[in-house]
Amino acid sequence: MSSAFDNSPLDLEAHLAPYSARSALSRGRRYSEPGPSARTEFQRDRDRIVHSTAFRRLEYKTQVFVNHEGDLFRTRLTHTLEVAQIARSVARNLRVNEDLVEAISLAHDLGHTPFGHAGQDALNACMRDHGGFEHNLQSLAVVDELEEHYGGFNGLNLCFETREGILKHCSRENARQLGALGERFLNGQQPTIEAQIANLADEIAYNNHDIDDGLRSGLLQLEQLADVDLWRVHHASALAAHGPLEGRRLIHETIRRIINALIVDLIDTTRAALREHGPGSADEVRASGPLVGHSPEIAAQAVQLKRFLFQNLYRHYRVMRMANKARRVITGLFDAFSEDSRLLPPAYQSSHVTTQARLIAHYIAGMTDRYAHKEYRRLFVMDED
Ligand code: MG
């Protein structure tokens, strides 16, 4: 495929395996720009993401535990950094594009609403008659339209491959409206190997940090985890290595072993798949089935862990109470703004490119937890202004 970019004088990607994405072979940006002089196009994407407003907001957005519940729980920002760390480790081992993997990882949750999944579900319900709300599509809207940083265009004007990696899932209906970016959902193709890695790194990160946060919060008890194979094996191995270890040290020694086992399995299994399919280019990766994955045994154990977290943490009555409050805040805001758009800040009162409902969704999705809470009080509590 011909290049959308002039090759940079330094080939910073010369060491990469033939199946990696490369800046020089990128499908390009939506608006053409002069190439960077001392970094690759994907490094430039990564840098734009780090400097974006949406990235800083991740610090005050819920992962599972709402911000004010404690200072030590993961936020969307620390979750995002853990995803990037895991994804880069895998990418370096497979000699694929660490810069692209990092850019995708850092951007993957930019479109998340306040209050985690409860917030997304509530906003999706509010938008039922207006095209719905989906955080992957919202992440894309952030980088394509909503960031206001550059003189020549809206959004961050990222490369096709970064945008494609951000769009992890997409309905066929939405895919049809997305042009080239939606094609793979219609013709059964895969994204780059880098996007596949970032996707699996997301799962490894949250499965592990949610055990840690669940135990820290007291919502999960150590004894419950004895039914989880991954935990049982690595808990025993931590004790075998260190003898009488307890408390936080034992939890960390166990979790670091689980993360390591998952990463090593992912690398080994993916390497075997690459050997078997032998893709000679990023385009051949797209035409193969999924190449990045776990061995059947570890995949089954990861599913078991996920199921455990779903039943025991995400459905814990204290998490459900917080989710219920989140739903009331999001729905209250959406309804008030829909009934009277004059309550919105002027920038969100009207637009000639999108509907009023979508503007409200953009406004709410961009809020941090505490901003949403404050805005709710401003609208519904008499002595707030
Ligand atoms: Mg995530």
Side-chain angles (χ1 to χ4, degrees), residues 279-308:
S281 67
D283 279 343
E284 286 180 28
V285 169
R286 292 175 193 281
S288 308
L291 290 168
V292 180
H294 287 295
S295 61
E297 189 196 351
I298 291 289
Q301 292 182 1
V303 168
Q304 184 194 41
L305 171 56
K306 214 184 243 192
R307 203 170 288 145
F308 170 85

Side-chain angles (χ1 to χ4, degrees), residues 76 79 108-109 202:
R76 284 261 162 226
H79 159 71
H108 87 283
D109 272 350
D202 188 21

Side-chain angles (χ1 to χ4, degrees), residues 6 17 66 74 97 114 119 135 165 167 169 171 174-175 261 285 290 311 365 376:
D6 295 334
V66 173
R74 268 68 176 188
N97 205 313
H135 70 85
L167 194 64
H169 315 285
S171 68
N174 286 326
V285 169
Q311 286 164 355
Y376 184 83

